[in-house]
Amino acid sequence: MPSPKAKSSGGSGGPGRFEFTSLSRGPPPHLLQRQGSDPAAARLRASESPTRRRGSGSSTSSSTGPPLPEEDCMRLNPSFLGIALSSLLAIDLWLSKRLGVCACEDSAWGSVRPLMKLVEVTGHGIPWLAGAAYCLYKSDSSAGQEVMLNLLMALLLDLVLVGVVKALVRRRRPTHNRMDMFATFSVDRYSFPSGHATRAAMCARFLLTHLVLAAPLRVLVLLWATFVGCSRVLLGRHNVTDVAFGFGMGYCQYNLVEMLWMSPATLHSLVGLTPPLG
């Protein structure tokens, strides 16, 4: 067999005549012209033999690369707080999915889903706003008007604060949730915090403080607030942390309501209702 550097005698186009050339020298000029490419560029491509490419790859892999970006370093070396938050989020998602037994009709407790949706309506903002406004209109005493007006202002404050927090956090609702809620708004596609939980906690504390209720009714109010919060997880509307934070937020909202409490004189000057009774 002839060596790679040997050339056959005669023209390159004759039959049975071959021409061999070294890989390091590149293809002959007439092949470059036939391909319609630049001879210098073609020789440069031909000079990149598999041996050289393997050598360059091994040298690149053996050499020290550029430093990792900061976010990659954080993923490789997470802090203790990051690990704790990630673990808490994973437990929250797992537990919320396990407790969503009424998320659909095919769930474990799908038969009681209509009852859970009825409890959901009792904690909705629209029935509470309508009821407070009606009681304010029908009240014939200054004390009753004062309590109902402050309850109405507390409900409006709750809607604003929950909407702001939801718009800032933007946590999506659980994947197993069905968006068939009663009278939803734009921010209701977000999950954190639970507006029903905040409203239930705030209204329960408000009623227990400003209404004279017997012991059974006081227990019933507490059970209602707890049941409203639990129904949010059972229906798959919220995660467990959404409801827990909502209870705490609603409990603290009442302190803000007490700070902004409107007296009968302020009520008379702003709303123009009947003057306070002697």
Side-chain angles (χ1 to χ4, degrees):
M1 181 176 179
S3 62
K5 294 183 179 181
K7 294 185 179 180
S8 62
S9 60
S12 61
R17 299 176 181 271
F18 303 92
E19 183 175 2
F20 299 89
T21 181
S22 174
L23 291 175
S24 60
R25 296 182 180 181
H30 65 274
L31 292 180
L32 296 175
Q33 295 176 0
R34 186 180 305 172
Q35 295 176 358
S37 60
D38 186 16
R43 287 192 182 92
L44 181 60
R45 290 193 300 268
S47 62
E48 296 179 354
S49 62
T51 304
R52 294 184 179 182
R53 286 195 294 268
R54 286 195 296 269
S56 62
S58 60
S59 62
T60 304
S61 61
S62 61
S63 61
T64 304
L68 292 174
E70 184 179 356
E71 57 270 15
D72 293 340
C73 295
M74 293 176 62
R75 295 192 191 101
L76 294 176
N77 302 300
S79 62
F80 176 78
L81 181 60
I83 295 176
L85 291 177
S86 300
S87 302
L88 178 61
L89 179 61
I91 295 174
D92 180 34
L93 296 178
W94 173 81
L95 185 60
S96 302
K97 189 172 183 179
R98 291 294 300 269
L99 294 177
V101 294
C102 302
C104 60
E105 289 77 5
D106 299 334
S107 302
W109 293 0
S111 58
V112 298
R113 180 178 172 82
L115 178 61
M116 294 293 103
K117 294 186 68 175
L118 179 61
V119 175
E120 178 183 60
V121 174
T122 62
H124 199 278
I126 292 181
W128 275 94
L129 288 171
Y134 179 79
C135 292
L136 175 63
Y137 175 74
K138 287 294 185 178
S139 179
D140 55 357
S141 64
S142 60
Q145 294 172 356
E146 177 184 356
V147 171
M148 288 298 105
L149 180 62
N150 283 278
L151 177 59
L152 185 62
M153 299 300 295
L155 293 171
L156 293 175
L157 179 66
D158 173 72
L159 291 176
V160 172
L161 292 180
V162 171
V164 169
V165 176
K166 282 188 175 183
L168 291 177
V169 178
R170 294 176 177 269
R171 185 183 189 183
R172 293 291 179 178
R173 290 188 181 271
T175 55
H176 55 282
N177 172 51
R178 290 178 54 187
M179 291 299 294
D180 57 348
M181 294 180 292
F182 169 73
T184 58
F185 299 94
S186 59
V187 294
D188 287 334
R189 65 179 181 271
Y190 301 124
S191 177
F192 186 89
S194 170
H196 284 68
T198 60
R199 192 173 303 110
M202 184 194 66
C203 290
R205 192 178 177 190
F206 189 99
L207 296 178
L208 293 176
T209 303
H210 295 283
L211 296 183
V212 180
L213 301 175
L217 291 179
R218 297 177 71 88
V219 174
L220 186 61
V221 170
L222 291 176
L223 290 177
W224 167 79
T226 305
F227 202 28
V228 168
C230 293
S231 68
R232 311 309 293 155
V233 181
L234 297 178
L235 286 170
R237 308 293 196 201
H238 293 276
N239 297 305
V240 176
T241 52
D242 302 335
V243 176
F245 186 85
F247 277 143
M249 181 176 174
Y251 186 87
C252 296
Q253 278 180 358
Y254 178 77
N255 297 331
L256 183 60
V257 172
E258 288 291 333
M259 294 174 56
L260 303 176
W261 189 266
M262 301 179 66
S263 62
T266 307
L267 181 149
H268 174 69
S269 60
L270 292 179
V271 185
L273 298 177
T274 55
L277 300 179

